[in-house]
Amino acid sequence: MPPPLPPESGEAAAGDEGVLVAECLRLLAALPSAAAASPAFRRHWPSISASLASLSASLSHPAFPPQAPLLAPLASALSALVSVAGNHGSIGHLHTVSLLSSSAAELSQLAADAQLVVSPGGSGGGEGEGADGLIPRLRLGSAASRAAALDSLVDSVGSLPASSAAAAVSAVAAMLDSGEILPASREKAVYVLAAAQAAAAGVLRNLASFPDLLPSFREEGALPSLLQLVSLGTPRAQELALGCLQNLTSGDGDECQQLKVEAFQGGALGCVKDFLESCVGDEPGLAPAFGLLRNMASFRYIAEIAVSASFVDHVLAALDSDKAATRTEAAMALAELCNVGSKNRRDVGDAIPRLIWMLEAKAVTERDAAARALAALVAASGYRKLFKKEERGIVNVVQLLDPGAARGVDARFPVSVLLAVSQSRRCRKQMVAAGACGFLQGLLAAEVDGAKKLADCLGRGKMLGVFPRS
């Protein structure tokens, strides 16, 4: 039977931690010979020996701090193993196996913690350590030390890279699960878990833009988690989760169509509505919410439900946003919501002046979105009358036919708008005066849908060249 721990080791646990390092190293060296005399050690020895080797390397490392909090539990665990090896004949085989199993797991965790201590950015850093250096301290310190590390992490968690954010989530979650956390630190721990959520959602949003990864999102069951984050996450995490869902449902392939259906079945419309109703102004960004609404509303059945649920009111309000991205996505959503049956349509006449104003925006995407929405609106005769009353309506739409000034705008939509009001002689005169005939020549060569019909309507069978090209 090996000798018991010398008295000074117990005193070291309470005072001089430097002695604990030496004591742990002594026990690590003594354990192999003690284990050789115990048949019960044979099954667990491979995992135990790997942990011992890792611990020896870490404790001997120059960067290992002599005050590391893990030394006391390590000395206790090693001493218990030595005791089991010496008493295996008197405590029963099953009991011995149980003790070895639990000790092996504890040693493995301690070995991993010790590696964290000596790794770059570990807990031996000083006051200038980065956020990554705080993460090991969340796992290894006393309750007071962990609380101090958590205080420091709260200030920097928003700037953590994705990999470090994942490590922070793991460490803070372990703190909460262990119960070894001061009451005052619980709220901070929950806060850290929530900014880390945003980092993870941001990574997923970027990954969702790759079509070949869409099957993985479905196979891993990502939709329920993302929808839960939209409901319960921080405002930034909600915005990024919505962005991820928008990317997942933005294509036309079978995988995207299935994701749209699954998102709808999972309650995405309700999540979007709750998000929009909970937001104050345009903070956080609302664009992803309208982008997801637009994608799902490409199914007419979903669009009709959205209209019945008063989504149109949110869309109309968003057209007045001071953020171009929000106005753009809202206009695109409005274009889809207008494609519902006449029984379910809502009055959106107030949108027409705003959309005409958006036709003058600097961003091509915003002008294109406004043209799409107007094309959907003027398909109804009542909205054509409202459009014709707007002084800048015809002029702004015609400018979108100019290949130089409106590069990137899908010409089919401004052509569709002009065709819708071309029965009016006054509107035809406005189109000609704004230079529509000259622009149409290029569209005819490109065989743009509707261009020939509009040209015939303006030309009355005559050559386009007789009209002025102002």
Side-chain angles (χ1 to χ4, degrees):
M1 178 175 177
L5 284 174
E8 62 266 28
S9 64
E11 295 169 3
D16 185 6
E17 291 94 344
V19 177
L20 268 181
V21 175
E23 180 59 23
C24 287
L25 288 172
R26 183 188 74 78
L27 289 168
L28 285 168
L31 190 55
S33 58
S38 172
F41 263 79
R42 292 173 187 167
R43 175 189 294 181
H44 299 277
W45 186 246
S47 60
I48 291 177
S49 62
S51 297
L52 296 182
S54 176
L55 284 164
S56 295
S58 297
L59 267 63
S60 302
H61 196 284
F64 191 89
Q67 76 281 5
L70 66 83
L71 287 170
L74 176 58
S76 177
L78 292 174
S79 179
L81 275 176
V82 171
S83 179
V84 169
N87 296 320
H88 66 88
S90 60
I91 61 176
H93 179 73
L94 291 178
H95 192 192
T96 300
V97 170
S98 177
L99 289 173
L100 287 174
S101 179
S102 61
S103 296
E106 183 180 10
L107 273 185
S108 177
Q109 183 60 60
L110 288 168
D113 290 347
Q115 284 184 322
L116 279 174
V117 171
V118 298
S119 65
S123 64
E127 293 182 0
E129 65 184 340
D132 285 355
L134 297 170
I135 294 173
R137 287 174 50 197
L138 294 171
R139 297 177 59 91
L140 309 177
S142 63
S145 175
R146 292 182 182 187
L150 187 61
D151 288 341
S152 300
L153 188 61
V154 164
D155 296 329
S156 56
V157 68
S159 60
L160 285 179
S163 58
S164 298
V169 168
S170 177
V172 175
M175 285 180 65
L176 290 170
D177 289 341
S178 70
E180 297 176 1
I181 182 171
L182 299 176
S185 298
R186 288 188 177 277
E187 184 175 345
K188 295 174 184 176
V190 172
Y191 170 81
V192 169
L193 285 176
Q197 280 181 337
V203 172
L204 291 175
R205 179 195 60 180
N206 296 337
L207 292 175
S209 63
F210 295 94
D212 56 324
L213 296 180
L214 298 189
S216 298
F217 277 86
R218 291 190 63 207
E219 292 166 5
E220 296 296 329
L223 282 179
S225 297
L226 288 167
L227 291 172
Q228 183 179 38
L229 189 55
V230 173
S231 298
L232 304 176
T234 62
R236 179 59 175 163
Q238 289 177 309
E239 178 186 356
L240 292 170
L242 284 165
C244 181
L245 290 167
Q246 178 186 1
N247 287 343
L248 288 174
T249 58
S250 62
D252 296 322
D254 292 342
E255 199 74 42
C256 275
Q257 299 289 45
Q258 185 62 33
L259 281 167
K260 291 177 188 177
V261 173
E262 292 178 2
F264 171 71
Q265 293 173 336
L269 270 186
C271 290
V272 171
K273 188 174 184 183
D274 290 343
F275 174 77
L276 293 174
E277 291 179 347
S278 67
C279 290
V280 178
D282 200 19
E283 190 64 36
L286 303 181
F290 290 113
L292 176 58
L293 172 63
R294 181 243 303 187
N295 292 343
M296 291 192 297
S298 63
F299 284 97
R300 181 168 173 176
Y301 171 74
I302 298 177
E304 291 180 345
I305 293 176
V307 171
S308 299
S310 302
F311 274 93
V312 171
D313 296 337
H314 292 290
V315 170
L316 293 178
L319 293 177
D320 283 331
S321 169
D322 58 358
K323 293 185 179 180
T326 299
R327 296 193 300 268
T328 299
E329 291 296 348
M332 297 287 279
L334 181 61
E336 296 292 349
L337 295 177
C338 287
N339 294 323
V340 298
S342 57
K343 292 182 179 180
N344 292 324
R345 284 181 184 169
R346 295 283 302 278
D347 183 12
V348 293
D350 290 343
I352 290 179
R354 309 178 203 180
L355 292 171
I356 291 173
W357 171 75
M358 287 172 62
L359 294 176
E360 302 177 11
K362 292 182 180 179
V364 175
T365 53
E366 184 173 355
R367 298 201 297 271
D368 183 71
R372 289 171 185 259
L374 281 171
L377 283 175
V378 297
S381 59
Y383 294 129
R384 280 182 229 147
K385 295 178 181 178
L386 293 175
F387 175 80
K388 288 188 286 187
K389 291 180 180 179
E390 293 295 324
E391 181 180 357
R392 296 286 302 173
I394 295 291
V395 174
N396 285 356
V397 174
V398 169
Q399 292 304 308
L400 295 184
L401 304 181
D402 183 351
R407 188 179 303 275
V409 174
D410 191 330
R412 293 176 301 168
F413 298 102
V415 166
S416 177
V417 173
L418 296 176
L419 271 175
V421 296
S422 62
Q423 297 306 310
S424 165
R425 182 180 179 185
R426 183 174 66 86
C427 289
R428 291 198 302 271
K429 287 184 176 180
Q430 287 179 311
M431 294 179 207
V432 171
C437 297
F439 299 144
L440 278 171
Q441 293 185 62
L443 299 183
L444 286 170
E447 298 184 345
V448 173
D449 290 348
K452 186 177 185 307
K453 184 175 180 180
L454 181 59
D456 290 343
C457 183
L458 294 181
R460 296 287 186 184
K462 299 179 181 180
M463 295 182 63
L464 289 173
V466 301
F467 293 96
R469 300 181 186 176
S470 57

